[in-house]
Amino acid sequence: MPIPHDHAREITRRLSRGQDIEKLNARLAPTSAEDRPIPPPVPASRQWDADAVRQRRAFLAAMGHELASLSGAEPDPDPESLRGNIENYIGMTRIPTGLIGPLRVNGLHASGDFYVPLATSEGALVASYDRGARIITQAGGASCLVTAEKVQRAPGFAFTRLVEAVRFAAWIAGEFERLRDVAARHTRHGRLLDLRVHIQANNVYVIFDYHTGDAGGQNMVTFCTAAVCEEILRVTPVTPQYWFLEANMSGDKKATSQSFRETRGRNVTAEVVLPRELVEARLHTTPERIADYWRMSFVGGVESGSIGVSGHVANAIAAVFLACGQDVACVSEASVGVTRMETTADGSLYAAVTLPNLIIGSVGGGTRLPTARECLAILDCVGDDRAARLAEITAAAALGGELSIVGALCAGDFARAHQLLGRVAPPSDAADSSMPPAG
């Protein structure tokens, strides 16, 4: 994503948090098992009996996470408490939720070993991400960084003639400070960062960029932009024939060609270097074969018109969103991303995932629902100053899934893993922990 020079300065200031670049490098550097022992894996991996479930719940309980809502020990919430989350309420949809990890993250906001809850009904998915998470951890962890953070709302204004549209566009371009102050009166946590103008004949689209604090921010930017538009209509020297609060240029809940030019949500990258011996032992292939696959798959993505090219980052994002109370429809833009896998000079594997539109938050919306709060608490991502942390963990989990699925494709295990783990009545050898799972 190209970044204007003034935004680049702001990003540098925010990322440094008072640290010099050497301290930032140290924070993002891999950490070996000698430096920090690797925590135990999720117990009773790929066992489905009731005792295995009890072991996993006890495992989390020992860390202070009592899963009253996730386990069904608590009744459904009072319907009145769901006001603002659902209308015409009839009950709760329950989605199976699994746990992966440990996943080591060396990020600016997330630093440590995490057990990540994933909600899905797709067999083999949790096993695949669990394998990827453990491989990343054995390699010293994923370096993760959130850079740009902003969410858009794009009202449209219609005029009689082009000359009126141009006059309006020229006027509003000089009104940023006034409109920023209006927006500030309608949010405690967000702020208007910028406005951009696009003229299309006698129509004018105004794209407002907001920083939304620790919220996903969809409602916040809507309320603020509604107030801003009221002020525009009050003082504009050129009255539009009509206007709409959102004119479909923000990229809201859709993959668009502007995904890599403008961040919508949080722009986050995760990277890891896997030594050759780790690739061979855990992925049952070589860095060279994985690089070959990546090149072929990247061309395939380009040829098919994909916006962004990845294996299945949508699986990670959807599973985290469902578990952690995010706006699931935003998977449409949040799953736009790029995966890279290349060999290094010493024969290791470099892998990275960049997600430019990760709409994710730790406050507001569905994050207040009981099961979502329990899942967020497992990640220590409840409340303020936790959204960027959640974004870095999500990106690292997505990277683990990319490594696991590509490894399965390169080793020829992709179909067999789904046959063993993704069937309603798997054969008795499905719990064979030596089976490399696919995504």
Side-chain angles (χ1 to χ4, degrees):
M1 180 196 72
I3 302 173
H5 71 281
D6 54 336
H7 290 181
R9 284 198 299 267
E10 167 64 16
I11 289 170
T12 301
R13 181 199 64 77
R14 184 175 60 80
L15 292 184
S16 68
R17 287 187 167 186
Q19 304 175 49
D20 59 34
I21 194 65
E22 292 304 319
K23 289 183 179 179
L24 182 60
N25 285 339
R27 188 175 179 90
L28 269 60
T31 54
S32 68
E34 289 74 25
D35 295 330
R36 189 167 73 212
I38 295 175
V42 177
S45 177
R46 269 178 275 167
Q47 294 180 29
W48 286 265
D49 57 88
D51 183 63
V53 176
R54 283 192 291 269
Q55 288 184 52
R56 288 188 282 270
R57 289 175 179 167
F59 178 71
L60 288 171
M63 293 185 278
H65 304 298
E66 296 291 345
L67 308 182
S69 294
L70 281 166
S71 66
E74 285 190 354
D76 287 348
D78 178 359
E80 280 293 329
S81 71
L82 301 177
R83 188 186 298 269
N85 290 112
I86 191 69
E87 299 76 43
N88 303 342
Y89 173 72
I90 60 170
M92 303 295 288
T93 299
R94 298 189 67 188
I95 301 169
T97 303
L99 195 68
I100 68 167
L103 171 63
R104 180 160 294 184
V105 181
N106 305 309
L108 179 64
H109 302 275
S111 181
D113 297 306
F114 298 91
Y115 295 93
V116 184
L118 300 179
T120 182
S121 57
E122 181 187 345
L125 188 142
V126 169
S128 177
Y129 279 86
D130 189 45
R131 178 172 76 148
R134 294 196 213 178
I135 292 171
I136 286 174
T137 301
Q138 289 177 316
S143 300
C144 300
L145 195 62
V146 171
T147 54
E149 298 177 325
K150 55 184 178 179
V151 179
Q152 292 75 29
R153 187 57 73 213
F157 301 85
F159 300 89
T160 304
R161 301 290 300 277
L162 172 62
V163 66
E164 295 177 352
V166 172
R167 184 181 174 200
F168 175 83
W171 169 78
I172 200 171
E175 295 296 308
F176 173 72
E177 286 76 14
R178 179 206 296 264
L179 302 179
R180 179 188 59 196
D181 293 343
V182 171
R185 294 197 293 270
H186 291 81
T187 176
R188 291 177 299 164
H189 305 290
R191 67 181 188 275
L192 182 61
L193 297 174
D194 197 5
L195 71 82
R196 293 168 286 129
V197 177
H198 177 77
I199 300 171
Q200 205 291 315
N202 61 350
N203 290 342
V204 178
Y205 299 79
V206 184
I207 301 99
F208 292 102
D209 294 319
Y210 295 87
H211 185 271
T212 61
D214 285 287
Q218 303 281 56
N219 288 337
M220 181 191 301
V221 302
T222 297
F223 302 151
C224 289
T225 304
V228 165
C229 286
E230 289 177 7
E231 178 69 7
I232 290 170
L233 296 173
R234 187 182 72 83
V235 299
T236 177
V238 191
T239 302
Q241 287 185 303
Y242 56 88
W243 68 282
F244 301 103
L245 181 60
E246 172 57 55
N248 211 24
M249 195 171 272
S250 67
D252 189 357
K253 293 181 173 67
K254 55 190 68 71
T256 70
S257 61
Q258 65 188 15
S259 293
F260 294 96
R261 297 197 306 270
E262 295 293 334
T263 285
R264 179 170 171 78
R266 302 174 200 277
N267 190 309
V268 57
T269 295
E271 67 172 8
V272 69
V273 176
L274 303 184
R276 172 179 293 275
E277 56 271 20
L278 187 59
V279 174
E280 293 174 347
R282 295 301 308 278
L283 294 175
H284 310 288
T285 185
T286 65
E288 290 79 11
R289 179 57 61 89
I290 287 178
D292 288 342
Y293 173 83
W294 177 78
R295 282 190 296 272
M296 178 172 280
S297 70
F298 203 90
V299 172
V302 171
E303 292 276 357
S304 64
S306 174
I307 300 176
V309 181
S310 67
H312 65 153
V313 297
N315 268 328
I317 294 168
V320 170
F321 277 23
L322 286 167
C324 296
Q326 307 301 307
D327 187 339
V328 182
C330 288
V331 171
S332 53
E333 68 250 52
S335 61
V336 171
V338 168
T339 297
R340 287 174 48 200
M341 294 185 179
E342 305 160 2
T343 55
T344 65
D346 66 355
S348 299
L349 177 69
Y350 174 86
V353 166
T354 297
L355 305 173
N357 299 304
L358 189 58
I359 294 269
I360 201 166
S362 58
V363 300
T367 64
R368 69 190 186 97
L369 298 177
T371 56
R373 289 187 71 84
E374 288 183 355
C375 287
L376 288 168
I378 292 171
L379 300 170
D380 189 19
C381 286
V382 175
D384 294 335
D385 198 29
R386 287 293 185 270
R389 175 186 178 91
L390 182 59
E392 290 178 351
I393 295 169
T394 302
L399 178 59
E402 295 294 273
L403 288 165
S404 190
I405 193 172
V406 172
L409 286 163
C410 291
D413 295 323
F414 183 73
R416 178 169 174 253
H418 278 83
Q419 188 176 35
L420 288 174
L421 297 173
R423 299 168 70 183
V424 175
S428 59
D429 62 342
D432 177 8
S433 62
S434 66
M435 175 65 220

